[in-house]
Every structure is written in structure tokens, then in C-alpha cells.
Amino acid sequence: MADQLPEIELQDHGSKGRYVLRSPGGAEAEMTFTKVGEHKIIIDHTEVPDVFRGQGAGLRLVTRAVEDARASQKKIIPLCPFAAAQFRRHAEWADVLAS
């Protein structure tokens, strides 16, 4: 079912940004982040509206951030409770978890 979700869009606005999934009806699932220096980002908020519930949208947003962090050799500080829970469930993400 997650394969039917739209592509994730990265919106980078300097020191802040967000990953966004848009439904055909215009609803948005988002995960926001703040950059900390050159090598870290803080995931500070994840919001998934009802139209996306049960489709793995939140997990896809966090996974995309993990993939991007690996590609750019950055670390993630997951302050958002949802993102923090996903990091606890995915030990394979330890390489991008800020210590």
C-alpha cells in the first residue's frame, strides 16, 4: 500500500526544511527539520493527516531523511517523538543517529 503514496518532496529553506507527501486532494503529511551546523539535523515534528493513516507515510518520511543523511554524511537528532520511536525500532539506522 505504501507503494501507492506520492513521491516525497524535500523543501530546503536554509536552516530549516521539511519532507512532504501530498495527497491528490491536497492534504500534506510532513516531517520538519532544523539544520545544526554542517553535519547534523534535528527532526522536530512529524504530522500525518487521516488521509495517509495506515499507509506507512510517517515511516517513509523518516526513512527518506535517513537516506539523505547517509548520502550527505550527516547525523540526525530525532527530537520528534514519532521519529525517535522509529530510530528505536530500526537499529540499522544507528550510523546516522547523533550521539
Side-chain angles (χ1 to χ4, degrees):
M1 200 164 204
D3 293 337
Q4 297 172 2
L5 288 174
E7 288 298 311
I8 295 171
E9 177 185 343
L10 170 60
Q11 297 176 348
D12 190 334
H13 303 289
S15 65
K16 294 187 175 285
R18 69 184 192 140
Y19 290 92
V20 183
L21 279 168
R22 284 193 183 84
S23 75
E28 293 183 347
E30 72 170 358
M31 184 187 70
T32 61
F33 64 87
T34 302
K35 295 177 186 175
V36 180
E38 295 286 316
H39 304 289
K40 290 184 184 173
I41 67 166
I42 296 171
I43 295 176
D44 43 32
H45 178 71
T46 304
E47 186 168 336
V48 178
D50 288 341
V51 69
F52 288 110
R53 298 234 187 257
Q55 300 177 54
L59 176 58
R60 279 194 59 208
L61 292 168
V62 178
T63 300
R64 170 68 188 274
V66 168
E67 292 167 353
D68 288 355
R70 277 193 185 125
S72 61
Q73 298 182 355
K74 293 184 179 177
K75 299 288 185 180
I76 295 175
I77 302 166
L79 292 185
C80 162
F82 176 80
Q86 293 305 315
F87 269 87
R88 286 191 297 274
R89 291 184 186 122
H90 294 274
E92 69 274 17
W93 295 351
D95 62 313
V96 296
L97 184 60
S99 51

